[in-house]
């Protein structure tokens, strides 16, 4: 009977109920939208990193990790291709392995010159781990020694086009200055600004020759089975391989290598959730307000109920049921609305290309932004909205239970 | 033995520093099956007296015993239990729960007393037929006239067979014909079930209809006259 009364009370003022439920719904929709937005951003960042820069697990010579952006040549992995093959053979979870040799370069064009970094990659094994070959905007991917692929942004800065010549100046492992002329055989355009604006790719063999580091590499990238986001599993596998390889090597996950990036994303996410929290609070104030209004309107009725023998518990239960019904409707509405927005963001996406023009986001992010479905979070949001709406109703319910029947009946 | 015994009942209301003496020492005995009217001008203490008898309020001093139970000693929960078990209320504004049908309004006291569903249905339907509302069983209060609503309220007050029914100005919101019909209905039920009815009123028709008339003035009984059944 109490629940029946609660349902009917909720729809006594249908418009008021629907407005309150809509406020809750909009709040939850924002939460779902923000989660989808950040999920989508994180997905893109992870994908772009894994497709261009680091694989899931990376082997470094011990001590290099901290200084990796200085491209030290004094500590390299010797006989890197052999070690790559060995890792592929020894570990079932390692699907492919490829060595990369990074080094600092001075790229010189006819009209401009810029500091950049060079990357010697194996044209045979690198495409098994990374996806650079599918990001060639013009020309072709590396095929033979003497080929050079340049980041689209760097080419633009240097005012270079496909078929132009670029001088690559670097210092060998022994400190010998080397300058070589390359014809640009490919221009790579990725959503990773690090690659786009700073990288030149040559074959691993070429790099080893220039740097006087035969068979060496600065890192070995391992493409492993399973979900890349399962960093716990990656850490376990990394520890195992590291232990087997001995003290000369260290393994890091893609997450370790880009922790700074995710720290920023984490802060932005906190801001996003703070905004969502504020919206939710506003919605909940709405439900308290609606319930209080409903109680003030029903004082004589509640007094009559108390006079008839309804206990405080009965009144509280009825009020909680009313808040719960509004919360349920609002949460359902929010999830449906949120699903609609997320579907649009994920399936259609938002294209910021024309808006951003030449401006480059300092993150490996696509300008055609897409969201992410997170049904678990939608379910969480639904129950969160429903439970909080019910719990918050304790405040007006307390007011209702404190109504003294004699005083309430006096106001009839 | 009297159903209700009231001795030196006093009630003060305090508003800030102002104390209003609503009841200044009431002594009364009400027997089972009485059809009694408490009358008096506004502010004479009628509603206050009814509220205390009905366990809706507590006295400042004095005692009220219902069937030998001293109401002034009871805690809130026990008073609520007593209201639920033994007292029926009829209000001036009917005070039906608008979201419930006539049937559901009358059914509530039985739900609170944990009657089984089948017995509830039989009892409520029969009572609504008795009060002449056979056609209105599934109507909500707002779809009924004032007289019909008051009949539902009377049925609700009587459905649990209480020892005492308290009616606060039950005809005040009804026209004289409907008011008379309502009074007749209550009298019929009083005679049939031997339920004690206590009204507060300043309606002459109600005063004339009652078997016993108690007049209150300034919180005291100024006269107590019995007409007999």
């Amino acid at each position: 009977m109490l629940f029946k009364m609660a349902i009917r009370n909720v729809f006594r003022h249908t418009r008021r109920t629907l407005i309150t439920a809509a406020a809750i719904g909009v709040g939850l929709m924002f939460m779902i939208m923000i989660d989808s937005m950040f999920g989508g951003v994180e997905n893109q960042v992870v994908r772009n990193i894994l497709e261009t820069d680091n694989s899931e697990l990376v082997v470094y010579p011990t001590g290099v990790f901290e200084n990796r952006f200085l491209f030290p040549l004094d500590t390299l992995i010797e006989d890197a291709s052999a070690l790559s093959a060995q890792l592929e053979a020894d570990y079932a979870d390692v699907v492919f392995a490829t060595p990369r040799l990074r080094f600092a370069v001075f790229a010189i064009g006819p009209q401009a010159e810029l500091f950049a970094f060079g990357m010697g990659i194996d044209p045979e094994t690198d495409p098994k781990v990374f996806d650079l070959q599918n990001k060639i905007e013009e020309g072709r991917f590396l095929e033979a020694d003497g080929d050079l692929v340049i980041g689209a942004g760097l080419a633009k800065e240097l005012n270079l086009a496909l078929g132009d010549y670029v001088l690559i100046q670097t210092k060998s492992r022994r400190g010998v200055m080397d300058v070589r002329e390359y014809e640009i055989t490919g221009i790579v355009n990725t959503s990773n600004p690090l690659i786009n604006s700073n990288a030149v790719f040559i074959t691993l063999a070429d790099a080893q020759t220039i740097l006087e580091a035969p068979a060496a590499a600065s890192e070995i990238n391992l493409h492993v089975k399973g979900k890349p986001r399962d960093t716990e599993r990656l850490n376990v596998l990394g520890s195992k391989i590291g232990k087997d390889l001995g003290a000369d090597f260290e393994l890091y996950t893609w997450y370790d290598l880009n922790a700074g990036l995710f720290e920023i994303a984490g802060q932005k996410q906190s801001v996003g959730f703070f905004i969502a929290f504020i919206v939710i609070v506003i919605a909940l104030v709405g439900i308290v307000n609606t319930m209080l209004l409903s109680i003030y309107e029903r004082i004589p009725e509640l007094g009559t109920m108390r006079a008839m023998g309804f206990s405080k518990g009965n009144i509280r239960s009825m009020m909680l049921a009313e808040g719960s019904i509004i919360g349920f409707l609002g949460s359902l509405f929010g999830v449906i609305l949120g699903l609609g927005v997320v579907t649009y963001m994920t399936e259609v996406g938002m294209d910021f290309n024309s808006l951003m023009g030449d401006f480059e986001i300092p993150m490996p992010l696509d300008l055609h932004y897409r969201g992410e479905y997170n049904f678990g979070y939608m379910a969480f949001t639904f129950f969160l909205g429903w439970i909080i709406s019910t719990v918050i109703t304790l405040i007006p319910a307390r007011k209702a239970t404190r109504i003294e029947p004699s005083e309430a009946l006096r106001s009839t | 033995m009297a159903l209700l015994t009231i001795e030196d009942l006093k009630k003060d209301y305090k508003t800030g520093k102002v104390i209003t003496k609503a009841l200044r020492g009431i002594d009364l005995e009400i027997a089972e099956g009485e059809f009694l009217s408490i009358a008096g001008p506004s502010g004479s203490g009628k509603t206050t007296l009814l509220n205390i008898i009905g366990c809706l309020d507590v006295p400042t001093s004095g005692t009220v015993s219902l069937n030998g139970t001293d109401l002034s000693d009871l805690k809130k929960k026990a008073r609520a239990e007593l209201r639920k078990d033994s007292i029926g209320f009829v209000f001036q504004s009917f005070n039906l729960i608008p979201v419930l049908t006539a049937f559901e309004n009358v059914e509530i006291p039985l739900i609170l007393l944990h009657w089984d569903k089948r017995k509830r249905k039989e009892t409520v339907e029969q009572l609504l037929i008795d009060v002449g509302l056979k056609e209105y069983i599934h109507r909500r209060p707002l779809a009924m006239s004032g007289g019909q609503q008051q009949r539902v309220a009377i049925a609700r007050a009587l459905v649990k067979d209480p020892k005492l029914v308290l009616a606060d100005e039950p005809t005040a919101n009804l026209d004289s014909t409907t008011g008379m019909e309502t009074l007749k209905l209550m009298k019929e039920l009083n005679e049939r079930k031997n339920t004690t009815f206590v009204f507060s009123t300043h309606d002459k028709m109600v005063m004339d209809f009652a078997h016993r008339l108690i007049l209150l003035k300034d919180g005291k009984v100024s006269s107590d006259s019995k007409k007999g059944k």
Side-chain angles (χ1 to χ4, degrees), chain A residues 1 4-5 8-9 12 300-301 303-312 314 404-407 409-410 412, chain B residues 13 51 56-57 76 80 83-84 89 91 93 95 97-101 104 107-109 111-112 140 156 160:
Chain A
M1 176 60 85
K4 193 193 277 181
M5 285 169 74
R8 292 183 190 173
N9 281 328
R12 216 155 147 177
E301 192 179 314
T304 306
M305 289 170 72
R306 295 278 287 128
M308 284 163 63
F310 275 84
S311 65
K312 286 187 174 186
N314 291 145
E404 283 299 325
S406 58
E407 284 169 25
L409 291 167
R410 215 174 289 156
T412 56
Chain B
Y13 288 111
N51 281 347
L56 295 173
D57 209 344
K76 270 188 181 178
R83 285 199 300 269
K84 188 170 79 180
F89 293 92
F91 303 99
S93 308
N95 289 26
I97 295 170
V99 292
L100 300 181
T101 62
E104 289 164 340
E107 190 188 19
I108 279 181
I111 292 173
L112 293 171
R140 289 197 187 179
R156 183 179 66 183
K160 61 190 174 189

Side-chain angles (χ1 to χ4, degrees), chain A residues 109-308:
Chain A
Q111 293 165 28
E113 44 201 51
L114 282 171
F115 280 108
F117 73 88
M119 209 182 310
I121 61 176
D122 183 340
E124 292 292 322
T125 59
D126 203 84
K128 292 176 181 173
V129 177
F130 296 100
D131 195 39
L132 283 171
Q133 71 281 4
N134 291 320
K135 309 211 177 286
I136 298 294
E137 191 177 59
E138 285 180 83
R140 55 178 165 75
F141 187 59
L142 298 179
E143 285 177 0
D145 297 344
D147 285 354
L148 179 137
V149 171
I150 188 167
L154 182 61
K156 196 173 180 187
E157 287 292 312
L158 291 170
N159 205 15
L160 293 171
L162 186 72
D164 288 348
Y165 286 86
V166 59
L167 290 176
I168 297 297
Q169 181 187 318
T170 187
K171 213 189 269 183
S172 81
R173 202 178 191 182
R174 288 193 300 124
V176 177
M177 193 67 78
D178 186 288
V179 181
R180 293 192 187 206
E181 189 180 52
Y182 281 92
E183 182 186 347
I184 297 173
T185 53
I187 294 176
V188 67
N189 193 357
T190 76
S191 297
N192 187 345
L194 185 77
I195 301 294
N196 260 27
S197 303
N198 302 286
V200 289
F201 296 90
I202 57 174
T203 64
L204 181 64
D206 258 3
Q208 286 166 342
T209 306
I210 295 170
L211 299 171
E212 296 184 292
S218 46
E219 66 198 48
I220 295 175
N221 288 270
L222 309 180
H223 175 41
V224 302
K225 284 178 184 167
K227 290 179 182 171
R229 289 215 192 175
D230 188 356
T231 49
E232 208 169 298
R233 187 185 53 87
L234 291 177
N235 279 325
V236 171
L237 181 63
S239 300
K240 187 172 181 288
I241 297 173
K243 204 173 164 188
D244 294 346
L245 290 177
D248 291 342
F249 300 97
E250 290 172 338
L251 278 92
Y252 292 91
T253 66
W254 63 270
Y255 188 86
D256 300 326
L257 294 163
N258 299 279
L261 211 57
F262 289 97
E263 257 171 42
I264 297 167
Q267 282 166 7
K268 282 185 181 168
Q269 199 158 346
S270 305
V271 173
F273 283 120
F274 179 72
I275 294 165
F277 173 75
I278 296 290
V279 177
I280 286 281
V281 167
I282 292 168
L284 292 176
V285 168
I287 198 170
V288 170
N289 190 42
T290 299
M291 291 302 296
L292 280 175
L293 201 62
S294 163
I295 287 165
Y296 283 124
E297 281 172 356
R298 284 192 281 159
I299 284 177
E301 192 179 314
L302 293 167
T304 306
M305 289 170 72
R306 295 278 287 128
M308 284 163 63

